[in-house]
Amino acid sequence: MNQTEYISIAALNQYAYCPHRCWRMFCTGEFTDNQYTIEGTTLHDRVHTTSDIQRGETWQIRAIWLKSEQYKLIGKSDLIEAESGQVYPVEYKRGRKGEWDNDELQVCAQALCLEEMTGQPVKTGYIYYAHSHQRQLVEINQELRESAIATIESVTNLLETGAMPKPAYSKRCQGCSLYSQCLPKATDKVKSYQEVN
């Protein structure tokens, strides 16, 4: 990665979910679909139809590119809304609210881009979960901002060095489309293997 390259906003989500998965996707170009990734792609194919509409007091624009020179981020938004002079991102996800904060980090990264592009603070964002048809409010507070900036630095380091983070098995692995390439349990099995005489 050189100074002119940008980090995909989606890479922050992947890194926060699993650094090894992020490395496979963004350093080696590996990707395999499964049920969950196909459902997510189908959702985003519908969402990423460029449009600009007014719904009551809310202006909505879909599928625009967001960019930050300060953080070297780039990515396509699902939905940006403006209401009462406030602009905020809405990220679409296929499932329901998970146990981890990777989706919130992605929304925060979009907010950082929007702040730079519009020159105004972005204090909130939303995650729309297709399974429940509900939005979850994301407060763009100082703690989340610091976490997003730290993740940007970690992803930058990963892309610059290409160093592979070790795979580590967790509950998150169960739905991962790259599980068969990663085999996170294999390392422990090799360590514990003893040849029987």
Side-chain angles (χ1 to χ4, degrees):
M1 179 176 170
N2 62 47
Q3 292 284 21
T4 59
E5 289 184 51
Y6 291 83
I7 297 167
S8 166
I9 292 172
L12 274 65
N13 188 315
Q14 297 298 337
Y15 187 90
Y17 190 79
C18 172
H20 185 81
R21 178 179 170 85
C22 183
W23 175 82
R24 285 192 175 275
M25 291 176 69
F26 293 94
C27 290
T28 69
E30 290 180 54
F31 188 75
T32 304
D33 273 317
N34 67 9
Q35 168 195 343
Y36 307 115
T37 63
I38 291 169
E39 287 174 6
T41 299
T42 302
L43 172 66
H44 282 92
D45 285 347
R46 288 195 309 266
V47 171
H48 283 177
T49 302
T50 305
S51 67
D52 177 2
I53 61 173
Q54 187 80 28
R55 291 195 175 195
E57 299 296 313
T58 305
W59 173 66
Q60 296 181 324
I61 185 166
R62 294 185 183 277
I64 65 164
W65 284 94
L66 301 176
K67 182 178 173 184
S68 167
E69 292 294 339
Q70 180 180 354
Y71 298 108
K72 292 296 182 191
L73 291 173
I74 195 164
K76 189 182 279 190
S77 68
D78 290 339
L79 175 64
I80 302 299
E81 292 185 338
E83 187 175 3
S84 304
Q86 296 294 311
V87 64
Y88 52 86
V90 181
E91 176 65 20
Y92 279 61
K93 295 298 177 186
R94 56 156 285 284
R96 55 175 64 101
K97 167 98 174 89
E99 302 171 35
W100 305 287
D101 64 355
N102 50 308
D103 294 340
E104 286 86 352
L105 284 173
Q106 186 173 358
V107 171
C108 185
Q110 292 174 2
L112 293 174
C113 292
L114 277 172
E115 286 180 335
E116 189 173 318
M117 293 169 70
T118 65
Q120 58 179 291
V122 177
K123 299 177 182 176
T124 60
Y126 293 90
I127 303 168
Y128 173 81
Y129 290 102
H131 182 79
S132 63
H133 303 289
Q134 293 187 343
R135 285 185 178 189
Q136 171 199 332
L137 174 67
V138 177
E139 296 282 352
I140 311 297
N141 57 33
Q142 190 60 32
E143 182 182 354
L144 185 58
R145 288 171 185 273
E146 289 172 4
S147 182
I149 292 166
T151 305
I152 292 166
E153 291 170 358
S154 296
V155 172
T156 300
N157 184 59
L158 179 77
L159 296 175
E160 287 177 348
T161 65
M164 181 186 77
K166 290 183 179 180
Y169 182 80
S170 75
K171 187 178 173 185
R172 300 176 191 208
C173 298
Q174 294 170 6
C176 180
S177 65
L178 295 174
Y179 182 85
S180 62
Q181 288 94 317
C182 172
L183 298 173
K185 289 184 174 181
T187 304
D188 291 336
K189 286 185 177 179
V190 169
K191 285 180 187 175
S192 64
Y193 175 76
Q194 291 180 356
E195 189 171 336
V196 179
N197 291 331

